[in-house]
Structures are given as C-alpha cells and as structure tokens.
Amino acid sequence: MNTPNKLTMLRIILIPFFVVFLLGNFSTWSKWMALAIFVIASLTDMLDGYLARRDNLVTNFGKFMDPLADKLLVCSAMICLVDMSRIPSWIVIIIIGREFVISGFRLIASDNGVVIAANYWGKCKTVCQMFMIIILIANLGGGFVIVEQILIYASLILTVISLITYLWQNRSILSMQE
C-alpha cells in the first residue's frame, strides 16, 4: 500500500476518535481534541491527493477510497453537529443527499468505463464545508456566529451548484443507461 493510500486509511481510522471526542464531552478539551483530529484528517486529504499526483501513485483503490473517506469524515462531522444543535438537520440532509446522488452517478459512469473527476465547484464545496465544520466545532461565539451562518449557507449553495454543474457536465452518462 502506497503512502497516499495509507493517508486515506488513516483518515478513516481517525473518524471514530473524532466522533468520540466531539460528542463525548469528557472535559473542556474534548472539543479541541476533536477539532485537532478533524484538521489533521482534513490535511491528510490534501496531502494524499498531492502525493498521488506528484509521484504518479494514483491507484484504483485510491480513486474509490479517497472520496469515500472524505464523505465519511464530513458526513460524520455534520451529523454530530446536528446532534449538538450547531447546524440545521435539513441542511445536512441536502448536503448528504448530494453525496449519495454523486456517488450513484459515479457508479453508473464506472459501469460504463468512465471515470469522473471532481470539478471546480465540488472542490470549492469541500473546502467551504471543511472551514464550516472547523468554525462550528470551535464554537467561538460573538461575531463568529455570523461567520458560522455565512459558511453554513455558502456550503449549502455550493453543494447545490456543484450538484447541478456535475450532473449537467456529465449528462451524457445518463443517456448511456437508456
């Protein structure tokens, strides 16, 4: 297993620890431990992609597991944040619904021998969601409440835009199923 794939697996392994610290409320430092784990896991996402491209270590395992690890991390965080009343559940349902639609769409494409890369809007959505999650976990209060709301709705808008763009750019995949 190459280094990028090991980083992807590390991200998956970190998820239960992140959830336990975020929801565990062991002490005042629990949320900070959860935040640190989330940031480390998020950074492994950037690093594994960079290393895979730089060193030509792109594998089928990585193509499948990297986006899955990202979805598991982000969805786990948002579900926890719903439980903590930090983000409305309807927004999380739309965001997770988009992930299911895109995953299903990628499976259809894969069955037809087509690999669909993430687009610009999808990458923007992911970065916005990561910042949103970090700010929501930190829960700094004061003026950050406005920043939280901006990031929540920016993530929602980017989720919808990225879904529409993704489906439009790859609409030929749907015609393969007829």
Side-chain angles (χ1 to χ4, degrees):
M1 184 173 285
N2 64 35
T3 301
N5 290 343
K6 287 177 183 175
L7 288 170
T8 296
M9 292 307 299
L10 174 62
R11 190 160 61 256
I12 292 170
I13 291 167
L14 287 174
I15 293 169
F17 295 98
F18 163 70
V19 170
V20 166
F21 279 109
L22 187 58
L23 297 180
N25 257 344
F26 303 114
S27 69
T28 56
W29 58 267
S30 291
K31 83 169 180 181
W32 300 112
M33 278 299 293
L35 183 61
I37 293 169
F38 184 83
V39 169
I40 290 166
S42 297
L43 291 174
T44 67
D45 179 31
M46 290 186 340
L47 183 60
D48 70 16
Y50 169 76
L51 292 175
R53 286 184 296 277
R54 184 194 73 184
D55 299 336
N56 198 27
L57 296 172
V58 176
T59 64
N60 287 334
F61 177 86
K63 286 179 191 174
F64 178 76
M65 290 304 291
D66 181 63
L68 179 61
D70 298 343
K71 286 173 183 33
L72 288 171
L73 177 64
V74 170
C75 291
S76 296
M78 285 193 282
I79 291 168
C80 290
L81 290 165
V82 166
D83 185 61
M84 298 166 66
S85 300
R86 301 287 298 130
I87 186 170
S89 57
W90 69 269
I91 291 176
V92 173
I93 290 167
I94 290 170
I95 292 171
I96 291 175
R98 181 252 186 222
E99 299 306 330
F100 276 103
V101 169
I102 296 299
S103 294
F105 202 73
R106 280 198 169 124
L107 282 173
I108 293 168
S110 176
D111 283 349
N112 290 287
V114 178
V115 176
I116 302 173
N119 66 29
Y120 169 81
W121 289 106
K123 291 179 183 190
C124 287
K125 170 214 47 110
T126 300
V127 170
C128 189
Q129 286 176 355
M130 296 290 190
F131 280 117
M132 173 194 72
I133 290 166
I134 289 167
I135 294 297
L136 289 173
I137 292 170
N139 194 14
L140 300 171
F144 281 96
V145 172
I146 294 168
V147 174
E148 291 172 359
Q149 293 303 304
I150 290 168
L151 287 171
I152 287 170
Y153 287 99
S155 292
L156 177 64
I157 290 165
L158 288 170
T159 294
V160 173
I161 291 171
S162 68
L163 173 63
I164 292 167
T165 304
Y166 190 91
L167 293 174
W168 180 256
Q169 289 175 341
N170 298 289
R171 63 192 177 281
S172 62
I173 301 298
L174 291 175
S175 64
M176 291 180 179
Q177 295 304 300
E178 295 174 354

